[in-house]
C-alpha cells in the first residue's frame, strides 16, 4: 500500500536531517508545515523493493578491517573487482566492478554513483575507490540486476549508490588517525557546520605506507619492490534550501593516488577532479536536475620482469567525463508514481605512451550516450506493479590509433538507437512475507580503453578492438523477503542473467589475446542475505552461489561451457557485532571467495580464499575513542594473479591502532 504522507515524513525524520518550519498559529494543521529533507535526491519509488537490493548502513561502512570502500562493498556477496587485490596494491585500471559473476576484463559493468553522479573513469571504466573515504558516507545501496531510470544504460549488472553523510550525522568535527604494524598511516578529518537552513562539509583523507610484498618469497628478485602507496583526497559539499521545497546541492572532489607494483620503478599515478550541481524540488511536481564534469589523468610505467628496465611509459592519459539528467515526477494520482526524464553521458580521452619496441603510441576517441526514460509504479492494495523503458542513442566517434611505424589509423564513426526495459511486481503476502519478481534488459557501451588501448601483462600482450559491439543483458529473478521477528530479516533471490556480446580478453595466439565480443555469458544463481539484531548483538550475512558459463561459437568455440575468467562460483560474507555501551563496537567479519580462473582457457587457477577481519572501538573521554583493526587475521594466502605460476598476493595479516573523534 502507498505510505501515507505523514508516515513518509516521520520516516524521513528518523533517517535524515530534517528542518521543519513550525506554523505561527497554534491552530494551524500539520499540512501547513514546510518540510525540507537536506542532501538527498528524490525518494525511492514504491516498487524499489521489488529488485534485489542490499543496504549498508553507516556503522557497517565505518567499521571495516581496512577502512577502505572496496573492502566495505565485499560484504555484499556477488560484488567483485576484476582482481582480488585491494585499492592499495592493485593497478588502478584493474578496479572494474561487476555483480553476479558476469565476468569482466577490468571494466565496470555496474553503475557506481556518488550522490547520483557516475564515478567510473571516462577512459578506462574503473572505479577510483581511493577518491571516496568511507568516513564521508551515510549509506550504500547495492541493487543487483539490469537497470532503468537515470543513467540506466550503464547499469548492466546493477547499481551501487554511494550516499554522502549529512552534517548532523558527521557532527561539527570528525577525525581519525591510525597506524599499522608496518608503520603505514591513515589520517582523515571533516568539518560540517550548519549554514543558514543548510550545511557545508569539507573533508580530507591522506594515506601512505611502504606496503607489503605482493610477490611470494620464492619468486622475489633484486628488483622486487613492496606495494608502496600514497593517496590523498579532499572534498567539499554545500547543501542549501533555495525556495519552498527547492534545494541546491553543490559538490567538489579532488584526489591523487600513487602506487608501486611488484618491481622498483613500476609506478602508477591517478589524479582526478569532479564537480557537480544538483537541484531538487520536492513539491507536487517533483524534479531532480543534475549536471557534472569529471577530469582524470593516469600514468603508468611497466618494468620488464627479465631485464628490469622500463618497457612501457604510459605517460599521459587525460580524459573528461560530462553528463547530467533531468527527472520529473508529475502528480498523476495516489496510485501512480511516474518518472520521466532524459540523461546524457560523454567520455573523451587520449592516450600517449612510449613502448620500447614500437615507440610512441597515441590513441583515443569520444563515446556518448543520450537516453530517454519513463517508469511507472502502480499500487493496487497489497500489490505494486512497475514497468520502465529506456531509449538510448549510442555514439562512438573520432576513434584513432597511431604509431610511428604504421602512422595514424582512423576508425569509422558509428551510432544507433537501443531499446531496453524492466518490469516487476511486489506482493505483501502477509505481515511477515513479501514476494517479488522482475525481468529486465540492459546495455553497456565499450570503453575507450577496450576500443583503442593495447596493453601487456608479461608475457601476454592484449590487443584492443575498435569494432566491439555494445553488451546487451537479458535477465529475470524471483525472490522472497521474510521478517519472522522484530530485528530479523531473511532474503532469498534466484536469478538468470545473460550478457550477449560480452567483452572479454580472448586468447588468439601464443601469449596473445584480444578484446572480443563473446556470444554470451550466462549466470544463474542464488543470492541470500540475513540479518538479526537483539539488544547489543547483531548479525549480518550474505551468500551468492553462481553457475556462470561462456556461450561461444567460431573463434570463441574453445571457450564454450567454460567458467568466465575472474569469476568465482560462490562467495560469502558474515559479520557479527557487539555494542556493549554507547559509542563502543566490536565486530568480526568472515569472508570466503571460491576458486576462480585467471584466464579464459582455465589454465591458471586462483585458489579459494577465506579471511577474517576484526574491528574494535571503545570510548575514552567525551567523543574520543580508541580504535583497533585487523586485516586478514589468519594470514590467509590470497592469490590475486597467476600467470603460468608467476603469482601476486593480496593483503597479509595487518594490525591497525589509533584514535577517533566524533564517530
Amino acid at each position: 500500500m502507498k505510505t501515507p504522507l505523514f508516515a513518509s515524513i516521520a520516516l524521513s525524520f528518523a533517517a535524515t536531517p530534517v528542518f521543519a518550519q513550525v506554523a505561527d498559529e497554534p491552530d494551524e494543521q500539520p499540512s501547513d508545515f514546510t518540510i525540507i529533507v537536506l542532501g538527498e535526491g528524490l525518494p525511492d519509488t514504491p516498487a524499489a523493493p521489488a529488485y534485489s537490493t542490499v543496504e549498508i548502513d553507516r556503522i557497517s561502512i565505518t567499521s571495516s578491517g581496512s577502512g577502505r570502500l572496496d573492502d566495505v562493498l565485499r560484504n555484499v556477496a556477488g560484488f567483485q573487482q576484476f582482481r582480488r587485490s585491494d585499492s592499495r596494491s592493485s593497478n588502478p585500471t584493474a578496479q572494474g566492478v561487476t555483480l553476479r559473476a558476469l565476468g569482466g576484463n577490468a571494466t565496470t559493468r555496474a553503475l557506481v554513483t556518488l550522490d547520483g553522479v557516475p564515478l567510473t573513469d571516462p577512459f578506462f571504466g574503473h572505479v577510483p575507490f581511493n577518491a571516496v573515504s568511507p568516513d564521508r558516507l551515510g549509506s550504500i545501496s547495492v541493487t543487483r540486476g539490469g537497470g532503468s531510470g537515470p543513467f540506466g544504460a550503464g547499469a548492466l549488472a546493477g547499481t551501487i549508490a554511494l550516499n554522502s553523510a549529512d552534517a548532523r550525522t558527521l557532527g561539527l568535527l570528525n577525525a581519525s588517525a591510525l597506524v599499522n604494524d608496518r608503520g603505514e598511516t591513515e589520517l582523515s578529518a571533516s568539518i560540517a557546520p550548519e549554514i543558514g537552513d543548510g550545511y557545508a562539509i569539507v573533508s580530507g583523507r591522506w594515506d601512505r605506507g611502504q606496503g607489503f610484498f605482493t610477490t611470494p618469497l620464492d619468486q622475489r628478485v633484486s628488483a622486487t619492490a613492496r606495494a608502496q602507496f600514497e593517496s590523498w583526497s579532499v572534498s567539499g559539499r554545500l547543501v542549501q534550501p533555495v525556495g519552498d521545497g527547492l534545494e541546491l546541492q553543490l559538490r567538489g572532489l579532488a584526489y591523487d593516488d600513487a602506487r608501486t607494483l611488484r618491481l622498483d620503478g613500476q609506478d602508477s599515478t591517478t589524479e582526478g577532479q569532479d564537480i557537480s550541481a544538483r537541484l531538487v524540488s520536492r513539491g507536487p511536481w517533483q524534479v531532480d536536475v543534475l549536471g557534472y564534469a569529471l577530469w582524470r589523468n593516469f600514468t603508468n610505467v611497466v618494468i620488464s620482469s627479465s631485464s628490469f628496465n622500463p618497457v612501457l611509459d604510459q605517460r599521459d592519459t587525460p580524459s573528461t567525463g560530462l553528463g547530467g539528467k533531468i527527472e520529473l515526477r508529475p502528480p498523476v494520482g495516489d496510485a501512480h508514481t511516474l518518472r520521466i526524464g532524459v540523461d546524457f553521458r560523454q567520455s573523451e580521452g587520449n592516450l600517449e605512451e612510449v613502448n620500447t619496441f614500437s615507440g610512441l603510441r597515441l590513441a583515443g576517441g569520444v563515446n556518448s550516450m543520450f537516453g530517454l526514460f519513463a517508469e511507472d509504479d502502480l499500487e493496487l492494495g497489497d500489490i505494486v506493479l512497475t514497468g520502465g523503458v529506456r531509449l538510448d542513442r549510442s555514439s562512438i566517434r573520432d576513434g584513432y590509433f597511431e604509431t610511428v611505424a604504421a602512422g595514424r589509423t582512423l576508425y569509422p564513426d558509428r551510432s544507433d538507437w537501443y531499446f531496453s526495459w524492466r518490469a516487476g511486481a511486489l506482493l505483501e503476502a502477509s505481515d511477515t512475507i513479501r514476494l517479488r519478481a522482475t525481468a529486465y534488459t540492459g546495455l553497456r557501451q565499450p570503453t575507450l580503453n577496450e576500443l583503442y588501448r593495447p596493453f601487456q601483462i608479461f608475457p601476454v600482450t592484449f590487443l584492443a578492438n575498435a569494432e566491439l559491439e555494445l553488451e546487451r543483458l537479458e535477465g529475470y529473478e524471483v525472490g522472497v523477503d521474510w521478517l519472522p521477528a522484530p530485528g530479523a530479516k531473511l532474503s532469498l533471490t534466484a536469478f538468470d542473467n545473460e550478457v550477449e556480446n560480452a567483452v572479454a580478453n580472448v586468447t588468439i595466439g601464443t601469449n596473445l589475446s584480444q578484446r572480443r565480443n563473446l556470444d554470451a555469458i550466462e549466470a544463474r544463481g542464488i543470492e541470500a542475505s540475513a540479518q538479526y539484531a537483539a539488544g547489543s548483538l547483531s548479525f549480518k550475512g550474505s551468500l551468492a552461489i553462481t553457475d556462470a558459463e561462456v556461450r561461444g561459437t567460431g573463434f570463441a568455440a574453445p571457450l564454450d561451457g567454460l567458467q568466465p575468467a575472474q569469476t568465482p562460483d560462490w562467495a560469502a560474507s558474515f559479520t557479527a557485532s557487539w555494542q556493549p555501551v554507547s559509542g563502543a563496537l566490536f565486530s568480526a567479519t568472515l569472508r570466503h571467495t571460491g576458486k576462480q580462473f585467471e584466464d579464459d582457457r582455465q589454465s591458471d587457477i586462483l585458489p579459494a580464499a577465506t579471511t577474517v577481519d576484526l574491528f574494535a572501538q571503545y570510548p575514552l573521554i567525551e567523543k574520543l575513542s580508541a580504535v583497533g583493526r585487523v586485516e586478514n587475521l589468519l594470514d590467509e594466502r590470497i592469490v590475486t594473479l597467476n600467470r603460468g605460476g608467476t603469482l601476486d598476493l593480496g593483503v597479509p595479516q595487518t594490525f591497525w591502532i589509533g584514535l577517533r573523534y566524533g564517530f
Side-chain angles (χ1 to χ4, degrees):
M1 294 183 292
K2 191 174 184 68
T3 304
L5 175 61
F6 184 81
S8 298
I9 293 173
L11 289 172
S12 297
F13 188 89
T16 61
V18 177
F19 297 84
Q21 179 180 325
V22 183
D24 292 331
E25 299 297 330
D27 58 348
E28 287 184 334
Q29 299 300 311
S31 59
D32 294 327
F33 283 56
T34 299
I35 304 296
I36 303 174
V37 180
L38 292 181
E40 299 183 353
L42 295 178
D44 289 338
T45 61
Y51 299 92
S52 178
T53 301
V54 177
E55 301 290 340
I56 307 177
D57 59 33
R58 179 164 170 80
I59 291 177
S60 300
I61 293 170
T62 58
S63 60
S64 70
S66 70
R68 293 182 172 269
L69 177 58
D70 47 312
D71 191 36
V72 171
L73 290 170
R74 288 190 179 98
N75 287 335
V76 179
F79 166 87
Q80 68 175 108
Q81 295 186 80
F82 180 62
R83 300 201 182 279
R84 297 171 174 177
S85 308
D86 70 353
S87 55
R88 292 162 294 196
S89 59
S90 66
N91 189 291
T93 62
Q95 292 178 192
V97 170
T98 192
L99 299 163
R100 289 192 164 164
L102 287 175
N105 57 3
T107 298
T108 294
R109 283 196 167 113
L111 174 65
V112 182
T113 63
L114 174 60
D115 299 326
V117 176
L119 265 184
T120 50
D121 184 274
F123 191 95
F124 294 96
H126 66 270
V127 179
F129 285 110
N130 287 353
V132 182
S133 172
D135 298 352
R136 304 171 192 160
L137 300 179
S139 65
I140 301 174
S141 179
V142 180
T143 302
R144 295 168 287 201
S148 184
F151 307 121
L156 190 80
T159 303
I160 300 174
L162 310 175
N163 306 302
S164 293
D166 56 79
R168 292 187 178 178
T169 298
L170 293 175
L172 179 60
L173 178 62
N174 193 308
S176 69
L178 291 96
V179 63
N180 69 17
D181 55 338
R182 293 189 295 271
E184 299 161 4
T185 56
E186 174 192 309
L187 304 174
S188 67
S190 68
I191 183 170
E194 294 185 9
I195 299 177
D197 291 329
Y199 60 84
I201 299 174
V202 178
S203 62
R205 175 161 167 163
W206 179 36
D207 298 74
R208 63 178 302 180
Q210 64 175 339
F212 55 88
F213 284 108
T214 60
T215 307
L217 181 61
D218 60 353
Q219 295 183 6
R220 294 176 195 169
V221 295
S222 59
T224 298
R226 292 175 176 267
Q228 180 179 344
F229 64 94
E230 181 172 8
S231 63
W232 59 261
S233 66
V234 293
S235 66
R237 192 165 183 242
L238 177 66
V239 177
Q240 284 290 316
V242 291
D244 189 16
L246 195 63
E247 174 183 319
L248 177 65
Q249 304 171 14
L250 303 177
R251 186 176 62 84
L253 170 69
Y255 68 91
D256 187 90
D257 187 358
R259 309 180 195 178
T260 298
L261 303 180
R262 194 177 178 90
L263 299 172
D264 284 326
Q266 191 155 277
D267 303 327
S268 67
T269 66
T270 307
E271 65 177 56
Q273 303 84 36
D274 300 3
I275 58 172
S276 66
R278 189 177 198 178
L279 191 65
V280 180
S281 173
R282 308 183 196 280
W285 285 76
Q286 296 185 343
V287 181
D288 191 349
V289 180
L290 172 70
Y292 69 87
L294 318 174
W295 295 272
R296 302 280 191 268
N297 206 334
F298 173 75
T299 70
N300 187 49
V301 176
V302 178
I303 302 296
S304 168
S305 60
S306 55
S307 69
F308 309 126
N309 293 318
V311 293
L312 177 66
D313 182 5
Q314 191 173 339
R315 61 193 186 190
D316 196 25
T317 315
S319 61
T320 303
L322 301 173
K325 71 162 186 177
I326 301 174
E327 178 181 346
L328 176 66
R329 299 185 187 181
V332 291
D334 291 341
H336 288 271
T337 302
L338 176 64
R339 311 167 69 194
I340 55 176
V342 300
D343 59 53
F344 175 73
R345 298 175 68 181
Q346 177 174 291
S347 300
E348 180 177 358
N350 296 278
L351 165 72
E352 178 182 316
E353 64 184 21
V354 177
N355 185 290
T356 300
F357 306 103
S358 60
L360 180 66
R361 298 195 299 204
L362 305 172
V366 180
N367 287 358
S368 63
M369 293 289 290
F370 171 77
L372 306 168
F373 62 89
E375 190 166 56
D376 184 41
D377 292 358
L378 174 62
E379 298 171 85
L380 303 171
D382 292 329
I383 299 176
V384 180
L385 303 178
T386 181
V389 294
R390 281 189 62 92
L391 186 62
D392 286 283
R393 176 73 170 180
S394 168
S395 173
I396 299 175
R397 66 184 190 275
D398 299 336
Y400 71 95
F401 181 76
E402 179 179 349
T403 64
V404 174
R408 173 169 287 210
T409 299
L410 300 177
Y411 300 107
D413 296 348
R414 47 195 172 109
S415 60
D416 206 348
W417 288 95
Y418 296 87
F419 177 76
S420 58
W421 56 269
R422 72 176 182 178
L426 182 70
L427 170 64
E428 299 285 351
S430 71
D431 291 339
T432 60
I433 295 178
R434 181 170 61 193
L435 305 176
R436 45 191 168 80
T438 57
Y440 38 77
T441 64
L443 64 150
R444 182 186 74 86
Q445 190 180 60
T447 64
L448 300 173
N449 177 56
E450 292 171 304
L451 291 165
Y452 309 123
R453 173 188 170 252
F455 69 100
Q456 185 176 44
I457 300 178
F458 186 84
V460 182
T461 297
F462 297 84
L463 303 178
N465 186 351
E467 298 180 356
L468 290 173
E469 298 293 332
L470 274 68
E471 295 181 336
R472 303 294 304 272
L473 176 133
E474 296 181 357
Y476 64 87
E477 62 191 62
V478 294
V480 57
D481 301 323
W482 180 38
L483 291 79
K489 180 180 179 181
L490 176 65
S491 296
L492 190 67
T493 303
F495 66 90
D496 188 330
N497 286 183
E498 182 175 90
V499 181
E500 299 177 354
N501 296 328
V503 178
N505 296 323
V506 177
T507 301
I508 59 175
T510 302
N511 292 330
L512 184 63
S513 291
Q514 186 181 33
R515 299 183 184 97
R516 296 272 183 97
N517 288 114
L518 304 174
D519 294 44
I521 291 176
E522 185 170 14
R524 302 186 182 97
I526 298 290
E527 295 164 345
S529 64
Q531 61 185 58
Y532 178 70
S536 60
L537 296 175
S538 64
F539 306 90
K540 296 180 181 179
S542 182
L543 170 68
I545 303 174
T546 310
D547 177 20
E549 291 186 352
V550 173
R551 303 298 183 199
T553 58
F555 71 87
L559 308 180
D560 189 58
L562 298 184
Q563 185 173 323
Q566 303 291 337
T567 57
D569 49 8
W570 75 289
S573 174
F574 177 79
T575 299
S577 301
W578 178 43
Q579 294 178 277
V581 297
S582 177
L585 174 65
F586 300 89
S587 68
T589 299
L590 172 71
R591 294 196 192 97
H592 178 84
T593 302
K595 178 189 70 175
Q596 59 197 73
F597 295 97
E598 174 73 36
D599 61 325
D600 61 326
R601 299 295 180 92
Q602 299 190 354
S603 56
D604 296 319
I605 293 177
L606 304 175
T610 302
T611 60
V612 176
D613 291 351
L614 303 178
F615 178 87
Q617 176 175 308
Y618 197 82
L620 299 176
I621 53 172
E622 295 184 345
K623 297 182 178 182
L624 184 66
S625 300
V627 177
R629 303 189 317 219
V630 184
E631 300 179 69
N632 195 3
L633 173 67
L634 304 180
D635 204 21
E636 175 82 342
R637 180 182 167 99
I638 306 169
V639 178
T640 62
L641 181 146
N642 180 3
R643 287 292 185 190
T646 299
L647 306 181
D648 274 0
L649 303 178
V651 62
Q653 181 188 73
T654 305
F655 295 89
W656 293 84
I657 190 169
L659 297 172
R660 277 181 165 181
Y661 180 84
F663 280 76

